[in-house]
């Protein structure tokens, strides 16, 4: 109830109202002061680690504190001692409101398609298979991007990089584009581990997920730290909600867990047989976790695909296949604008508000609001408030 009360106050300020400049104060003062009044008692603790919030709320039950650690780890890749209180409260407080897990019809691909439709509707264009080689910098300003494989340049007055901080500064920005100290600090940003993935198709005969749903989190050993690679395994059985994502009578299963990146890429390049053997060995913990949900899971496997941190890096083109920046609260994530380069902004999980899908999505909203006038922002906010 204590966290729910905080969540309800936080919900009074919609994500679409956030900005990265001082004008956010005008937004709050003119529209959301009454809704935000409930945050008064929590103002000092919201930017602090979640453990400070738990102490402030006098939540001492060991099981509740363990659950908070787990929720924070699933959200941001670090436990309650490093996840900012506001992010934890916003997500944890919403859990009961959701009632049951939700899943996009047609799978996660439909989210991307919906975003593409909105972009095209508003005059934008999506180019697939258009890998960016670098950001074009002229006279201290970002003026576009150069595509790989001789596909040409795309010129624009504003460039937004959704690549990680390490990939933006280490690969996309040309040498000398930013002061060396700025680049060094950016490249020194701490990062979370990568992932092992297990994608399997299974025989679904006799399986009933009506009471358990398709999303599961398994802690293999509660005596071990939550952050220990391989100890916490996440499971998503998408076909529980969207049967069309698997053949009739079958289920599609995705299980994954944190895994250090070191050694995987080198092994893949030098010894394919040893690499495949290591993948098989590393996937064992995922099968152990799956057996907590479907005891005879191994006998049901019809199709198996194992992905290592090297695979994760290759497909997502992320520095060391990382989940995201591991900036521990109360340290703050940087804002969207890249200092020293006019017209260059960053979004994603290495800028504010932080790591995890809600925070990464919010970073895009914040950047978008920074690129329009205050009047335009308020006009769009009026439309969204009316729709809600």
């Amino acid at each position: 109830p204590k966290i729910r009360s905080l969540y309800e106050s936080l919900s009074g300020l919609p994500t679409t109202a956030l900005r990265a400049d001082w004008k956010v104060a005008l937004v709050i003062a003119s529209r959301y002061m009454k809704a935000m009044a409930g945050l008064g008692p929590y103002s000092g603790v919201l930017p602090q680690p979640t453990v400070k919030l738990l102490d402030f709320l006098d939540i001492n039950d060991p099981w509740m504190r363990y659950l908070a650690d787990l929720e924070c780890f699933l959200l941001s890749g670090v436990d309650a001692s490093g996840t900012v209180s506001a992010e934890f409260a916003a997500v944890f407080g919403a859990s009961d409101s959701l009632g049951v897990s939700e899943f996009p019809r047609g799978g996660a691909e439909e989210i991307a398609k919906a975003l593409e439709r909105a972009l095209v509707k508003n005059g934008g264009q999506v180019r697939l298979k258009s890998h960016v080689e670098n950001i074009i910098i002229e006279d201290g300003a970002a003026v576009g991007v150069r595509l790989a494989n001789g596909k040409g340049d795309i010129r624009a007055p504003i460039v937004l990089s959704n690549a990680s901080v390490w990939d933006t500064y280490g690969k996309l920005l040309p040498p000398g584009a930013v002061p060396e100290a700025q680049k060094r600090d950016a490249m020194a940003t701490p990062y979370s581990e990568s992932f092992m993935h297990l994608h399997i198709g299974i025989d679904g005969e006799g399986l009933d997920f009506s009471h358990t749903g398709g999303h599961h989190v398994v802690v293999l050993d509660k005596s071990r730290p939550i952050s220990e690679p391989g100890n916490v395994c996440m499971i998503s059985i998408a076909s529980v909600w969207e049967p069309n994502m698997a053949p009739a009578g079958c289920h599609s299963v995705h299980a994954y867990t944190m895994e250090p990146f070191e050694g995987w890429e080198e092994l893949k390049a030098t010894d394919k047989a040893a690499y495949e053997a290591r993948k098989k060995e590393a996937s064992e913990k995922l099968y152990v976790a799956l057996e907590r949900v479907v005891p005879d899971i191994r006998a049901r496997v019809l199709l198996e695909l194992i992905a290592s941190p090297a695979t994760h890096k290759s497909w997502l083109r992320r520095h060391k296949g990382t989940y995201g920046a591991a900036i521990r609260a109360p340290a703050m994530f940087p804002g969207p604008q890249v200092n020293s380069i006019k017209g260059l902004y960053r979004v994603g999980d290495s800028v504010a508000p932080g790591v995890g899908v809600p925070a990464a999505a919010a970073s895009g909203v914040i950047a978008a609001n920074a690129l329009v006038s205050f009047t335009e922002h308020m006009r769009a906010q009026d439309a969204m408030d009316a729709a809600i």
Side-chain angles (χ1 to χ4, degrees), residues 165-184:
V165 60
W166 311 278
D167 294 301
T168 299
Y169 281 88
K171 296 180 179 179
L172 296 181
L173 285 175
V178 297
E180 191 57 36
Q182 181 181 343
K183 179 178 179 179
R184 185 171 58 250

